């Protein structure tokens, strides 16, 4: 495979997640460059698609498919008139996966291979598993060994990295994974030249991991919205985000952009790697072709070459609000003809309301803007059936303010809790809460969600834009909890919050109590059996074991109060400290474990 050249093929974070454009004559060069990029990187693209669809597949099996797809590319480049070269790339990929001898039976996806076209694609999509606890831990190499492996065989090193990351992130869009691979290689090159290699990798990896996690959460959240609620909610998300980012864009231009929200977005969510990359590149071309009417902040970005300009645009600042933009749009609350205009074209009317409100309120989160739109829609449904509608909807701004005030109080309460409790106590609070709400989730999922809630608050609670930041990030955590697949089921109460109303799911979760349908395991399943591996665990690993202990304790004893659970966690910490300092740690654990178990029975 050739050099990985992909800096700008990053998805449009909080911006153009779903936009794709028709090919126009002026876009031909861009399309050609994108196509060349895909051809040059067919190996990496194949690894991502295969590892995401069939997460259990071995690296050797992935390499076999890469060989088959590379041969297919070479054959078609030599003669595009061949019948097989007219097929969609994703269809060819799935056909090759299905014809690999013994593979469908070995990894239990033969039922997908018996389907065709759309049904086959969706079958592979629903075969993906968000909870990757069934995979072995991510392999780690000593820094010196890592650098030597990279030096000896760069291609195999990067292939293996993309494979391991892709199978553990089955819903992350291919452009994001390709960009992550490029960043990973940059990090490897830099750190392998340093004297303190381990420290360099540790420092740079943290930023890198946060980058991948942030993009992963957003993509899963938006794809989950699309699959559970359909294209209309996706359109609303994009209206809110685009209008805030580019407040001077005219509504007709925004609609022109939104009209191109098409099946290519489905491609990104469904893992159609090639379709996703093509669509993303077209978006950047469209944005830059109309930059004068869209934003004053992207001129320098659009002067960059196609591979670099995407990331530049994504991270450009929000444009300034137009000076002539009044604080309110009178058309929606003061006009006598609101009901008539709504009835003439309800979808377009509501889209324009969301556009006008979003561009005037850069301080609000995306979920809050969707809540306001929902409140307005409900209000008009009520007002337009009264004798005097204008008197009814004239007070709409009060309703909007009330809605925002409720959301603001939730965020303020959470940030106050963070300021008082500190990170560890806050994490235990969320681990207990989340496990009581959704004990059916795996321990890995629950510990991840708890940490993400804490990350949201520690990231945002000291910022001036605290409200939007917290509300946006917590919404991503709820998106992780609810998952992508529309048929995911946790328990009746959680399912109701996940599937009833996308904008208001946060307030729905606020009202939930412990799941009353949950039946805990009849035995402790080794929860109180401890071994000397606890003594070998470093700080971070020991903290993970404590988190897992707490989650599993809640699963075993959901009836215990928060105070009782935290008391038992303190006892567990003390047992570890005592036994690891004892002359015979194993004997100490054998004695102390049953004591802690007995204490949990009477707590």
């Amino acid at each position: 495979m050739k050099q990985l050249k992909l800096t700008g093929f990053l998805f449009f974070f909080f911006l153009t997640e779903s936009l794709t454009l028709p090919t126009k004559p002026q876009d031909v060069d861009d399309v050609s460059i994108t196509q060349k990029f895909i051809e040059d990187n067919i190996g990496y693209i194949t690894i991502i698609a295969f590892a995401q669809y069939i997460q259990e597949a071995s690296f050797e099996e992935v390499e076999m498919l890469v060989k088959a797809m590379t041969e297919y590319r070479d054959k078609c480049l030599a003669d595009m008139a061949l019948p097989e070269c007219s097929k969609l790339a994703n269809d060819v990929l799935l056909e090759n996966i299905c014809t690999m001898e013994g593979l469908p039976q070995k990894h239990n996806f033969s039922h997908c291979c018996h389907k065709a076209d759309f049904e086959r694609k969706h079958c592979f999509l629903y075969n993906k598993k968000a909870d990757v606890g069934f995979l072995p831990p991510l392999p780690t190499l000593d820094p010196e060994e890592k650098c030597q492996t990279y030096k000896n065989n760069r291609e195999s090193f990067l292939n293996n990295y993309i494979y391991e990351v892709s199978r553990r992130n089955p819903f992350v869009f291919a452009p994001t994974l390709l960009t992550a691979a490029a960043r990973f290689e940059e990090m490897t090159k830099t750190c392998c030249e340093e004297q303190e290699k381990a420290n360099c990798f540790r420092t740079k990896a943290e930023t890198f991991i946060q980058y991948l996690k942030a993009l992963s959460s957003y993509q899963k959240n938006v794809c989950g919205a699309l699959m559970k609620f359909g294209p209309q909610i996706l359109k609303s998300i994009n209206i809110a985000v685009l209008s805030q980012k580019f407040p001077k864009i005219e509504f007709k231009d925004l609609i022109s952009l939104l009209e191109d929200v098409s099946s290519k977005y489905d491609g990104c969510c469904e893992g159609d790697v090639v379709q996703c990359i093509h669509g993303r590149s077209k978006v950047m071309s469209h944005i830059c072709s109309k930059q004068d009417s869209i934003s004053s902040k992207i001129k320098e970005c659009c002067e960059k070459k196609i591979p670099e300009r995407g990331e530049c645009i994504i991270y450009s600042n929000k444009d300034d609000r137009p000076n002539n933009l009044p604080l309110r749009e009178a058309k929606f609350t003061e006009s006598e003809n609101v009901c008539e205009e709504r009835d003439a074209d309800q979808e377009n009317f509501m889209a324009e309301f969301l556009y006008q409100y979003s561009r005037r309120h850069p301080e609000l989160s995306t979920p809050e803007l969707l809540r306001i739109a929902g409140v307005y829609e409900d209000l008009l449904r009520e007002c337009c059936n009264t004798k005097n509608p204008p008197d009814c909807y004239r007070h709409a701004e009060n309703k909007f303010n009330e809605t925002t005030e409720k959301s603001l109080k939730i965020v303020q309460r959470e940030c106050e809790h963070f300021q008082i409790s500190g990170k560890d106590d806050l994490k235990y609070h969320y681990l207990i809460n989340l496990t009581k709400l959704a004990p059916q989730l795996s321990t890995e999922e629950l510990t991840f969600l708890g940490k993400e809630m804490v990350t949201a608050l520690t990231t945002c609670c000291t910022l001036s834009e605290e409200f939007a930041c917290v509300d946006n990030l917590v919404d991503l955590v709820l998106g992780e909890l609810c998952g992508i697949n529309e048929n995911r089921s946790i328990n009746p109460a959680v399912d109701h919050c996940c599937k009833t109303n996308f904008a208001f799911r946060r307030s729905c979760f606020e009202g939930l109590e412990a799941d009353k349908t949950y039946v805990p395991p009849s035995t402790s399943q080794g929860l109180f059996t401890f071994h000397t591996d606890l003594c070998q665990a470093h700080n971070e690993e020991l903290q993970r074991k404590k988190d897992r202990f707490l989650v599993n304790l809640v699963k075993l004893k959901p009836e215990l109060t928060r105070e009782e659970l935290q008391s038992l966690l303190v006892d567990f910490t003390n047992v570890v400290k005592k036994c690891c300092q004892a002359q015979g740690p194993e004997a100490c654990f054998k004695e102390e474990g049953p004591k802690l178990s007995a204490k949990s029975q009477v707590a």
Side-chain angles (χ1 to χ4, degrees):
M1 260 171 278
K2 297 188 179 180
Q3 179 78 12
L4 189 63
K5 311 169 219 166
L6 37 83
T7 308
F9 285 88
L10 179 65
F11 91 116
F12 217 148
F13 186 43
F14 272 112
L15 186 52
T16 54
E17 256 319 312
S18 57
L19 307 180
T20 126
L21 303 161
T23 303
K24 301 184 180 76
Q26 65 265 34
D27 296 329
V28 169
D29 286 346
D30 291 348
V31 171
S32 301
I33 292 169
T34 305
Q35 186 59 35
K36 183 72 166 61
F37 166 81
I38 291 167
E39 290 165 4
D40 287 350
N41 292 286
I42 190 68
Y44 297 119
I45 290 167
T46 300
I47 292 169
I48 291 170
F50 190 15
Q52 288 188 322
Y53 278 136
I54 316 297
Q55 294 156 271
E56 302 89 344
S58 68
F59 184 57
E60 291 69 31
E61 288 165 339
V62 172
E63 285 188 312
M64 286 168 60
L65 185 66
V66 169
K67 185 172 181 289
M69 290 299 291
T70 305
E71 288 171 357
Y72 168 79
R73 175 203 63 185
D74 293 343
K75 184 164 58 174
C76 290
L77 286 177
D79 184 2
M80 286 299 292
L82 291 169
E84 60 264 42
C85 298
S86 64
K87 295 178 180 178
L88 292 173
N90 201 58
D91 291 345
V92 175
L93 182 86
L94 294 181
E95 279 176 19
N96 274 281
I97 290 174
C98 287
T99 54
M100 289 178 73
E101 190 176 349
L103 197 75
Q105 294 75 26
K106 179 181 176 183
H107 297 306
N108 300 314
F109 63 88
S110 52
H111 59 291
C112 294
C113 295
H114 294 141
K115 301 178 188 293
D117 303 326
F118 179 81
E119 286 75 18
R120 174 183 282 188
K121 188 163 62 173
H122 265 242
C123 184
F124 274 98
L125 171 66
Y126 290 125
N127 195 56
K128 292 183 178 185
K129 304 168 190 71
D131 180 5
V132 294
F134 65 94
L135 292 175
L138 189 66
T140 54
L141 294 175
D142 170 83
E144 294 290 347
E145 189 181 352
K146 186 183 292 185
C147 292
Q148 195 58 48
T149 304
Y150 174 69
K151 184 179 177 183
N152 291 344
N153 194 334
R154 170 191 171 274
E155 184 174 316
S156 178
F157 178 79
L158 286 178
N159 284 354
N160 197 68
Y161 167 78
I162 293 172
Y163 158 74
E164 292 291 1
V165 172
S166 299
R167 69 203 289 236
R168 286 170 173 79
N169 295 277
F171 297 104
V172 174
F173 296 171
T176 303
L177 291 170
L178 289 171
T179 303
R183 289 191 173 194
F184 177 71
E185 182 172 22
E186 286 171 17
M187 176 178 74
T188 303
K189 280 180 180 175
T190 302
C191 291
C192 287
E193 292 173 1
E194 294 287 328
Q195 198 73 33
E196 296 287 332
K197 292 180 178 62
N199 189 47
C200 177
F201 275 114
R202 195 179 306 112
T203 305
K204 290 185 179 297
E206 184 58 36
T207 306
F208 175 77
I209 290 166
Q210 290 305 320
Y211 155 83
L212 189 57
K213 271 168 49 175
L215 299 186
S216 169
S217 289
Y218 183 69
Q219 289 165 2
K220 282 193 276 189
N221 192 40
V222 176
C223 287
L226 172 64
M227 293 185 183
K228 287 186 174 72
F229 299 96
Q232 186 55 47
I233 192 68
L234 196 60
K235 180 180 178 182
S236 297
I237 291 170
N238 277 288
I239 290 171
V241 171
L242 280 164
S243 303
Q244 281 191 318
K245 179 88 172 176
F246 301 141
K248 77 175 187 180
I249 191 172
E250 293 291 335
F251 182 61
K252 66 179 188 310
D253 293 330
L254 177 65
I255 291 302
S256 164
L257 216 50
L258 292 170
E259 280 171 0
D260 296 313
V261 175
S262 69
S263 62
K264 290 188 178 177
Y265 182 79
D266 297 335
C268 288
C269 287
E270 292 168 3
D272 191 330
V273 177
V274 173
Q275 192 179 351
C276 190
I277 292 171
H278 268 304
R280 209 59 50 75
S281 181
K282 290 178 186 177
V283 170
M284 301 306 173
S285 299
H286 183 91
I287 294 287
C288 288
S289 72
K290 295 187 175 181
Q291 58 179 294
D292 290 341
S293 61
I294 290 178
S295 174
S296 61
K297 305 283 186 181
I298 58 175
K299 187 175 186 297
E300 288 185 12
C301 296
C302 290
E303 288 170 356
K304 296 179 182 291
K305 293 179 181 178
I306 287 177
E308 288 82 29
R309 69 180 176 182
E311 194 162 348
C312 180
I313 292 171
I314 294 156
Y315 290 107
S316 66
N317 293 326
K318 288 179 181 177
D319 207 353
D320 302 320
R321 202 167 80 172
N323 291 329
N324 60 351
L325 190 66
L327 289 176
R328 291 186 188 182
E329 176 52 72
K331 170 181 176 178
F332 296 100
T333 56
E334 295 170 27
S335 166
E336 298 290 317
N337 305 314
V338 167
C339 295
E340 289 79 4
E341 288 192 46
R342 182 202 67 157
D343 293 343
D345 186 348
Q346 186 164 344
E347 185 178 331
N348 203 55
F349 180 83
M350 288 307 304
E352 187 178 357
F353 168 77
L354 183 54
Y355 154 77
Q356 294 289 6
Y357 201 86
S358 300
R359 66 202 288 248
R360 285 167 169 77
H361 292 279
E363 77 285 359
L364 297 182
S365 65
T366 302
E368 185 61 21
L369 292 167
L370 299 188
R371 288 175 207 130
I372 298 291
V375 166
Y376 182 61
E377 190 170 13
D378 290 343
L379 181 68
L380 290 190
R381 194 177 293 119
E382 178 187 322
C383 291
C384 292
N385 285 319
T386 63
K387 288 182 179 178
N388 193 338
D391 272 359
C392 179
Y393 57 66
R394 197 161 280 135
H395 305 290
E397 285 289 342
N398 294 336
K399 292 273 189 187
F400 303 156
N401 293 338
E402 285 171 19
T403 304
T404 300
E405 197 60 39
K406 284 179 187 174
S407 301
L408 186 59
K409 281 180 179 173
I410 293 173
V411 168
Q412 287 173 336
R413 189 168 66 244
E414 286 169 332
C415 284
E416 283 169 12
H417 191 181
F418 161 66
Q419 302 291 355
I420 295 167
S421 303
K423 282 175 71 171
D424 283 346
D425 283 349
L426 191 69
K427 180 176 64 177
Y428 300 142
H429 165 81
Y430 283 115
L431 289 176
I432 292 169
N433 265 18
L434 288 163
T435 308
K436 282 178 176 278
L437 290 183
Q440 296 83 0
L441 294 180
S442 71
T443 303
E444 287 73 20
E445 284 180 285
L446 289 163
T447 52
F448 171 77
L449 292 169
K451 282 175 66 179
E452 289 304 290
M453 284 295 295
V454 175
T455 299
L457 299 184
T458 53
T459 301
C460 302
C461 284
T462 55
L463 300 178
S464 57
E465 60 271 25
E466 173 184 283
F467 170 65
C469 182
V470 171
D471 205 37
N472 277 326
L473 291 189
V474 170
D475 188 62
L476 297 188
V477 179
L478 295 182
E480 292 272 6
L481 192 160
C482 292
I484 284 187
N485 292 345
E486 59 187 325
N487 55 3
R488 173 175 165 103
S489 180
I490 300 170
N491 62 54
V494 170
D495 292 349
H496 171 78
C497 289
C498 287
K499 296 175 181 177
T500 304
N501 190 311
F502 180 82
F504 284 92
R505 65 184 177 185
R506 178 111 191 261
S507 55
C508 182
F509 274 103
E510 281 287 309
L512 285 192
E513 296 180 351
D515 178 31
K516 293 181 171 59
T517 68
Y518 174 66
V519 179
S522 55
T523 63
S524 64
Q525 300 177 324
L527 180 61
F528 300 101
T529 303
F530 310 127
H531 297 288
T532 52
D533 62 313
L534 287 166
C535 303
Q536 272 87 57
H538 295 296
N539 287 344
E540 278 186 36
E541 180 59 27
L542 185 59
Q543 189 58 57
R544 280 195 290 271
K545 288 178 182 290
K546 284 174 66 174
D547 295 346
R548 288 176 59 83
F549 175 81
L550 179 58
V551 167
N552 287 328
L553 183 63
V554 179
K555 287 188 173 199
L556 180 67
K557 298 284 180 182
E559 73 280 2
L560 295 183
T561 64
R562 184 184 315 282
E563 291 73 22
E564 290 169 333
L565 289 163
Q566 288 194 289
S567 174
L568 286 166
L569 181 65
V570 170
D571 291 339
F572 168 72
T573 305
N574 291 337
V575 165
V576 172
K577 187 176 180 181
K578 175 183 176 181
C579 291
C580 289
Q581 291 174 349
Q583 284 192 331
E586 195 69 44
C588 176
F589 280 131
K590 278 185 180 175
E591 182 183 340
E592 295 296 330
K595 290 181 185 176
L596 191 56
S597 176
K599 189 171 181 181
S600 75
Q601 303 294 329
V602 296

